Amino acid sequence: MSDLPENRAPTKGRLALALLPLTVFACLAAVFWSQLDSGRDISEIPSALIGTQAPSLSLPALEGATLKNAAMPALTDAAVKGKLTLVNVWASWCVPCRAENPVILALAKDPRLQVVGINYKDQTDNALRFLDELGNPFSAIGVDPRGRAAIDWGVYGIPESYLVAPDGMILYKRVGPFDDRSLREGLMPAIEKASAGS
């Protein structure tokens, strides 16, 4: 009978140890729920590049693509210098890129900016078919077959778009396809602000 108190002490310690994972799980669940319930658009991923100079562009042109019956120019620093530019990272194999293309086509008609594309890890024939089928919104296209330029730009996944000021400063970033909300609350105010400043 004298062993009874000693046996109870380890039982309390074991119980506390057994409840530890449940407590950690409950805390993590509370943090995740608060993030989901915050109302923030999770596709608006902050970027360390916003407010900094855009990475240098020196990508070869998409062979076979045309612009006004001429060969599509390569995507270089000279192609975007001095112009408010939307850089769109896309690929023919990207299903959301297909859904987004009509929005990019409409943005390309906005006289305040030009739209250029980085064709990401794609096959030339497939990219050309994509443009022929859905329309070509780009004033220049650079090919990035190994994704090296995408790494420089901090691409998470495609489609992804960056609004670059005429002086080369990154003003806005969108991960994922544009929707009404991201256009209304993100891109269009950024375009208006940049246009008012020029």
Side-chain angles (χ1 to χ4, degrees):
M1 286 288 196
S2 62
D3 291 344
L4 191 56
E6 291 177 10
N7 287 340
R8 286 187 185 159
T11 303
K12 288 181 183 178
R14 286 185 194 143
L15 181 59
L17 190 58
L19 291 176
L20 182 63
L22 183 59
T23 304
V24 170
F25 174 77
C27 290
L28 287 173
V31 169
F32 293 147
W33 178 254
S34 70
Q35 291 297 314
L36 287 172
D37 198 38
S38 70
R40 279 189 18 221
D41 184 355
I42 59 171
S43 64
E44 298 292 335
I45 297 173
S47 173
L49 293 178
I50 293 177
T52 64
Q53 283 297 118
S56 182
L57 288 168
S58 182
L59 297 171
L62 177 63
E63 285 187 38
T66 59
L67 178 66
K68 297 176 185 172
N69 296 325
M72 176 70 64
L75 185 52
T76 63
D77 291 335
V80 300
K81 187 176 181 180
K83 301 170 190 162
L84 183 60
T85 303
L86 185 69
V87 179
N88 180 252
V89 184
W90 65 282
S92 64
W93 48 263
C94 164
V95 174
C97 296
R98 289 182 160 276
E100 180 185 57
N101 197 64
V103 175
I104 303 298
L105 282 165
L107 288 168
K109 294 176 183 173
D110 189 325
R112 298 173 294 179
L113 79 156
Q114 71 169 345
V115 179
V116 298
I118 296 176
N119 184 233
Y120 178 74
K121 293 186 177 181
D122 208 350
Q123 299 293 322
T124 300
D125 291 343
N126 294 339
L128 293 172
R129 248 190 315 279
F130 176 99
L131 296 172
D132 287 343
E133 179 184 332
L134 300 174
N136 182 358
F138 306 112
S139 61
I141 298 175
V143 294
D144 188 19
R146 291 187 176 80
R148 289 188 178 134
I151 291 170
D152 293 341
W153 282 79
V155 171
Y156 288 96
I158 61 170
E160 200 159 308
S161 298
Y162 301 81
L163 183 64
V164 180
D167 66 0
M169 184 84 59
I170 296 178
L171 304 174
Y172 173 82
K173 175 181 179 177
R174 169 75 182 169
V175 176
F178 283 108
D179 55 22
D180 289 340
R181 182 178 176 189
S182 62
L183 287 171
R184 183 179 63 251
E185 297 177 8
L187 181 63
M188 296 316 288
I191 290 171
E192 288 163 13
K193 185 177 178 183
S195 297
S198 58

